[in-house]
Amino acid sequence: MDRAEILGWLRETDPARLEDLFRRADAARRKAVGDEVHLRGLLEISNHCVRACAYCGIRAPRKGLSRYRMSAGEILEGAIRAAALGFGTVVLQAGEDPDLARNFVADAVRAVKRETDLAVTLSLGERDEGDLQAWREAGADRYLLRFETSDAALYGRLHPGRGGAPGSPEDRMAILRTLKSLGYEAGSGVLLGLPGQTWESLAGDLEVFRDLDLDMIGVGPYVPDPATPLWREAAARPPEGPGADPETDAFKMVALSRLACPESNIPATTALATVGGEAARLSALARGANVVMPNLTPPRYRRLYRIYPGKFAPDLSDDALLAGLQRSVESMGRRIGRGPGGRVGDRATSSLP
Ligand code: SAH
């Protein structure tokens, strides 16, 4: 698909034509990664953050939010719960928190690998190569780092660097390349509906997904947070362009991501479930997605990992969580994936038949 065709689909508003795109994406998903829906248990292990991303509710300058960091024991307990639920992967995510020290994280990864068969995904922000290498050696399988937008001017406005100068999407793309060279499966993605974002920038994002040959791609609607500087701009955003219809636009991006990168693992994101509920999550699974990331963060921490308001994170018993997922997945004629559910074709981590 060339850029003109991608742009044509992004701008498409005719529901019948869009159904055609969604059907093509669903067929591509079935052919490349099959009918399994992989479950990744999400543990939000710290809401401390040194960055000041303009959209994010746990940014460093945010006042009035209690900050927490989970203990090694709590992390292991969460991973054991994910394994007991039959999930194949645990995702350890946090703000960019230097006090999650190299050795602490490495020990946590080793403990999870020793006590469970889970694949371990880390999502801890922009860390140096020494950290990434140590965690890979400890057994981490995957790393998630969204580049958020490939539009350099927009990225720079939203992401002050650690020194204060504007950041560049290249900062994160370089880390993604390092991750691949260290043998990680690399995941990335973007926000959809940022003030100032254009269809052209989203088309550029899709080209970057393909060029980086990403193993995982997550696209979620931007949810404005009144506790952040971007809130005012979002409120003044004109009612057209990307994000005006966050659900449909997210479905377009999921479908186009699947067509651009047929073998990638693509989640139905939590942000999409936040704007469209469980129904939107299921629709995404029917339009190219093949992964769901249920939140397993202990409730007392979960409400503090407040990257945006109203985050979809129901606190369910293990039985209710599993029954709900099973019902949804089976109602679509799909099944819950067993094993780690790595990128297809990668025998080291792909799921068992
Ligand atoms: N510190 C890690 C994890 C960040 S939270 C990192 O920087 O990679 C994970 C994702 O949440 C981010 O990558 C961002 O895309 C998303 N996010 C942050 N604020 C958001 C908002 N207001 N609305 C929707 N998604 C948001």
Side-chain angles (χ1 to χ4, degrees), residues 55 93-96 125 145-146 148 172 191 221 223 305 307-308:
Y55 45 78
Q93 188 176 82
E96 196 167 301
L145 183 71
R146 290 184 174 178
E148 315 291 3
R172 287 184 160 221
L191 285 164
V223 183
Y305 196 82
I307 52 182
Y308 49 82

Side-chain angles (χ1 to χ4, degrees), residues 48-49 51 53-58 93-97 123-126 143-148 172 189-192 194 218 220-225 228 230 271 305-309:
H48 289 267
C49 192
R51 309 297 291 232
C53 306
Y55 45 78
C56 183
I58 64 168
Q93 188 176 82
E96 196 167 301
D97 176 9
S123 179
L124 305 175
E126 296 177 39
Y143 202 98
L144 293 177
L145 183 71
R146 290 184 174 178
F147 60 81
E148 315 291 3
R172 287 184 160 221
V190 295
L191 285 164
L192 167 81
L194 291 163
Y222 157 59
V223 183
D225 184 337
T228 64
L230 206 58
Y305 196 82
R306 192 188 172 289
I307 52 182
Y308 49 82

